[in-house]
């Protein structure tokens, strides 16, 4: 469906820059600290989009903002294509963050609603899988094109721009088709539910059947897991690729992209393997993978060994993916669809804000002492954070099991010009 395809293609752009950073570094002559700053402006864009969505609250129509996300992605791709210095790269990266922020909140909410309307079980977890797949594939596609195609710092973004134009056309075409159906649908006769099966103003999903104190506690648990598990993945997206290339003495962009791909392949695999597991089991596994990945990252850097780094990437990815699944499921479990976009915005604001701030603050250390020193400090912080988050889960572990899930939708949902209704039960 166009909504799912638009989210996937837009998220490809999020990690396409990671394997290209060293190529830009050689081409433009900046140091590794600048790479950190270029990465840090990306979560600034993500946060700006998420804060805007959160401020709009229930006035946000998630599906109507997806074309804007694709358009911003298209502008970002154009910026990468014409960039001749780090400042232009920073602007393109900022706009990319704005696009991704809209997908993480509005896109995830829209996909969840669409999937629930079609009777897909555990729709929030399926939406999380789609997000992880988009994050994963962008880096490896960029690495392969950078190594084996002409114009290594340009062609990949031209390909992405073409893909975004295509999905934007699909989104607008679907909206125009729905609009024509609304105009052409005959008015139902008096007392009849009539043949008009598309409603212009769908009835909103019912209010959540979750006591307020349980809702807040459950959301706090989701936030604790997401914040503690997202930072290590950010390391591999920023300075991790450059560090690996230096360690191997290999200039291959494919190798650099492979490390980021492994992170999000780990996220996808973790979500897929534990798709049927209880939310608490996913949360505990996320924290365990996050702690283990941080320890292995420390071992890999201290011993200059490649294998622990790649295993750490899998652990960090699984932690990030499962924490995202916990956040999506917890948000859907405690909120109806009208509030889901705003709650997802809050989760991602805290998660991306923590990761981006950590990477930005490490830039002076990376510049002065090198990438290895920065990674060691960040990995140590991740190990401590996951341990503290484990204490939060242990303290309030009964909150999710006590919450009453939302009722199942009444005979499917309605897909109309304004979006999707219906609230499927979430486990």
């Amino acid at each position: 469906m166009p909504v799912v395809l638009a989210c996937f293609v837009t998220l490809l752009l999020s990690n396409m820059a990671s394997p290209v950073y060293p190529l830009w570094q050689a081409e433009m002559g900046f140091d590794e600290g600048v790479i950190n700053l270029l990465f840090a402006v990306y979560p600034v864009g993500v946060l700006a989009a998420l804060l805007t969505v959160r401020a709009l609250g229930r006035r946000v129509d998630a599906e109507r903002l997806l074309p804007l996300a694709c358009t911003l992605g298209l502008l970002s791709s154009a910026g990468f294509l014409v960039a001749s210095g780090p400042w232009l790269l920073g602007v393109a990266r900022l706009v990319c963050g704005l696009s991704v922020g809209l997908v993480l909140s509005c896109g995830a909410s829209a996909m969840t609603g669409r999937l629930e309307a079609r009777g897909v079980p555990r729709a929030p977890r399926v939406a999380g899988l789609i997000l992880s797949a988009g994050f994963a594939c962008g880096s490896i596609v960029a690495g392969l094109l950078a190594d084996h195609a002409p114009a290594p710092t340009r062609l990949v973004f031209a390909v992405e721009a073409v893909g975004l134009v295509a999905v934007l056309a699909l989104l607008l075409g679907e909206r125009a088709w729905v609009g024509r159906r609304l105009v052409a649908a005959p008015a139902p006769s008096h007392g009849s539910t009539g043949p008009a099966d598309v409603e212009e103003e769908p009835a909103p999903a019912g209010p959540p059947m979750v006591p307020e104190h349980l809702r807040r506690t459950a959301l706090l648990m989701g936030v604790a897991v997401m914040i503690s598990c997202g930072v290590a993945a950010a390391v591999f997206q920023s300075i991790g690729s450059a560090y690996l290339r230096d360690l191997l003495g290999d200039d291959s962009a494919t190798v650099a992209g492979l490390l980021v791909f492994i992170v999000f392949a780990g996220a996808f695999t973790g979500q897929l393997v534990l798709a049927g597991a209880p939310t608490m089991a996913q949360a505990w596994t996320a924290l365990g993978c996050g702690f283990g990945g941080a320890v292995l990252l420390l071992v890999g850097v201290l011993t200059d060994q490649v294998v622990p780094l790649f295993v750490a990437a899998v652990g960090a990815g699984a932690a990030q993916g499962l924490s995202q699944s916990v956040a999506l499921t917890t948000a859907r479990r405690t909120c109806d669809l009208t509030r889901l976009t705003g709650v997802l915005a809050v989760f991602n604001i805290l998660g991306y804000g923590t990761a981006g701030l950590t990477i930005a603050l490490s830039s002076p250390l990376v510049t002065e002492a090198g990438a290895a020193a920065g990674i060691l400090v960040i990995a140590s912080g991740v190990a401590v954070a996951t341990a503290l988050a484990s204490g939060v889960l242990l303290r309030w572990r009964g909150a999710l099991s006590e919450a009453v899930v939302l009722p199942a939708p009444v005979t499917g949902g309605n897909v109309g010009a304004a979006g999707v209704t219906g609230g499927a039960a979430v486990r």
Side-chain angles (χ1 to χ4, degrees):
M1 67 184 76
V3 167
V4 171
L5 191 60
C7 292
F8 175 79
V9 173
T10 303
L11 288 183
L12 288 177
L13 182 62
S14 62
N15 288 322
M16 279 184 167
S18 293
V20 188
Y21 281 142
L23 302 180
W24 281 324
Q25 183 181 8
E27 182 181 297
M28 300 176 188
F30 52 77
D31 58 37
E32 289 180 345
V34 174
I35 294 178
N36 253 24
L37 292 175
L38 287 175
F39 174 82
V41 298
Y42 164 73
V44 170
V46 174
L47 290 173
L50 293 170
L51 287 168
T52 302
V53 170
R54 178 59 181 167
L56 292 173
R58 297 194 184 195
R59 290 172 291 174
V60 170
D61 183 340
E63 289 195 15
R64 288 187 184 275
L65 287 181
L66 277 180
L68 175 59
C70 294
T71 302
L72 289 170
L74 187 58
L75 291 174
S76 175
S77 299
F80 286 126
L81 276 170
V82 303
S84 57
W87 285 106
L88 289 175
L89 290 177
V91 172
R93 197 71 175 130
L94 180 67
V95 177
C96 175
L98 292 171
S99 174
V100 171
L102 290 177
V103 174
L104 287 172
S105 53
C106 299
S109 178
M111 283 194 295
T112 298
R114 285 290 187 103
L115 293 168
E116 285 181 358
R118 284 160 175 75
V120 176
R122 300 185 180 90
R125 298 184 183 183
V126 176
L129 283 170
I130 295 165
L131 295 178
S132 292
F135 280 127
C137 294
S139 62
I140 195 66
V141 169
L144 289 170
L145 287 176
D147 275 343
H148 303 294
T153 60
R154 302 286 189 268
L155 181 62
V156 60
F157 300 106
V159 171
E160 172 67 5
V162 171
L164 286 168
V165 169
V167 296
L168 185 59
L170 285 174
L171 283 175
L172 296 178
E174 182 191 47
R175 187 161 295 282
W177 175 78
V178 171
R180 286 195 298 271
R181 286 191 68 189
L182 289 173
V183 172
S189 59
H190 180 69
S192 168
T193 55
D197 57 349
V198 181
E199 298 179 4
E200 186 171 1
E201 293 293 338
M209 298 174 60
V210 180
E212 184 63 20
H213 72 284
L214 289 179
R215 187 179 75 85
R216 290 179 178 176
T217 303
L219 292 177
L220 173 63
M221 293 166 63
V223 165
V225 174
M226 192 165 189
I227 286 178
S228 60
C229 291
V231 177
V235 170
F236 292 103
Q237 292 172 267
S238 53
I239 53 177
S241 293
Y243 173 77
L244 179 65
R245 286 171 57 137
D246 291 342
L247 181 62
L248 294 176
D250 190 336
D251 291 333
S252 170
T254 303
V255 172
L258 180 63
L259 188 63
V260 181
F261 171 78
I262 286 174
V263 171
F264 289 99
F268 182 89
T269 303
Q271 289 173 321
L272 187 64
V273 169
L274 294 180
T279 304
M280 281 300 297
Q282 289 191 335
W284 282 117
T285 305
L287 293 172
C289 289
F291 182 84
V295 171
L296 284 171
L297 187 55
L298 288 169
V299 171
V301 173
L302 289 171
T303 60
D304 286 336
Q305 295 295 315
V306 174
V307 173
L309 288 177
F310 278 95
V311 179
V314 175
Q320 194 273 344
L322 288 170
S323 69
Q324 182 184 67
S325 180
V326 169
L328 278 165
T329 305
T330 303
R332 183 63 185 107
R333 184 171 190 167
T334 57
C335 301
D336 59 29
L337 285 173
T338 63
R339 301 176 64 182
L340 182 60
T341 301
V343 173
L344 291 178
V346 172
F347 270 114
N348 285 290
I349 286 168
L350 296 170
Y352 273 81
T354 303
L357 183 62
T358 301
I359 299 300
L361 291 176
S362 70
S363 291
L365 177 61
V366 171
T367 300
E368 293 298 325
I375 292 174
L376 287 173
V377 171
I378 294 171
S380 300
V382 171
V384 173
T386 50
L388 292 174
S390 298
V392 173
L393 253 66
L394 192 63
R395 171 65 177 82
W396 288 298
R397 59 188 179 277
L400 286 181
S401 60
E402 293 177 24
V404 181
V405 298
L406 295 172
V410 180
T411 318
N414 296 314
V415 181
V420 184
T421 66
V426 180
R427 289 198 293 271

